[in-house]
Amino acid sequence: MRRLLLVVWLGLLTVAAGLVPGLLLGPPWAALAAPPLALLVWGWVMLERNWRSWRYTERADDLLISRGVLWRTTTVVPYGRMQLVEVTSGPVERHFGLASVQLHTAAAASDATVPGLDPAEAERLRDRLTELGEARSAGL
């Protein structure tokens, strides 16, 4: 899904950067398409690396979410601190059969998201986290 969005936006930019100057100023100016094209190729590779870096693990007392290629981020959300677990899916995500699970806690900085899940898996995870959160509710 992200690769499609990358190709659409940077593909349009590449065509515009090469076609418009090439037609108006001459063929040598069509080389202005090279930087957006290079960015598109680099983005294609980086998106896969980023996608493969996402992990989540349901542990006994908490949910562990890790992500990142260069800068690794690990988030641990205790089940008892979860206040809201929701499944979201925008129009592009729905088209590709994807959904995200978003966890909300009392601390704004500790909200966590698990993107790119199959909708059935997202609903299963939401139900499981809700069940564990109610069972281990720590209260405020």
Side-chain angles (χ1 to χ4, degrees):
M1 175 190 77
R2 289 183 180 173
R3 280 183 168 171
L4 175 66
L5 293 173
L6 177 77
V7 168
V8 167
W9 291 111
L10 281 178
L12 289 174
L13 181 62
T14 301
V15 169
L19 190 63
V20 173
L23 290 175
L24 296 177
L25 302 173
W29 286 92
L32 289 175
L37 184 61
L39 188 60
L40 187 135
V41 171
W42 178 78
W44 185 273
V45 173
M46 293 310 293
L47 279 174
E48 181 172 353
R49 290 184 67 197
N50 181 276
W51 173 74
R52 290 186 183 277
S53 75
W54 280 88
R55 304 272 189 270
Y56 76 93
T57 304
E58 299 173 55
R59 301 191 311 181
D61 295 322
D62 51 35
L63 180 72
L64 180 94
I65 301 170
S66 64
R67 67 185 185 279
V69 177
L70 296 176
W71 288 273
R72 299 281 307 161
T73 301
T74 302
T75 304
V76 179
V77 183
Y79 296 131
R81 297 293 181 185
M82 291 180 198
Q83 292 184 330
L84 175 68
V85 181
E86 63 182 352
V87 175
T88 59
S89 184
V92 177
E93 287 177 309
R94 280 193 308 273
H95 178 73
F96 285 97
L98 299 173
S100 298
V101 174
Q102 187 167 8
L103 309 161
H104 299 278
T105 62
S110 66
D111 290 352
T113 304
V114 181
L117 297 174
D118 181 75
E121 172 63 13
E123 289 179 19
R124 185 208 62 82
L125 183 60
R126 179 201 58 207
D127 294 342
R128 172 104 169 115
L129 294 176
T130 301
E131 177 185 312
L132 289 169
E134 289 173 358
R136 291 181 173 85
S137 180
L140 296 175

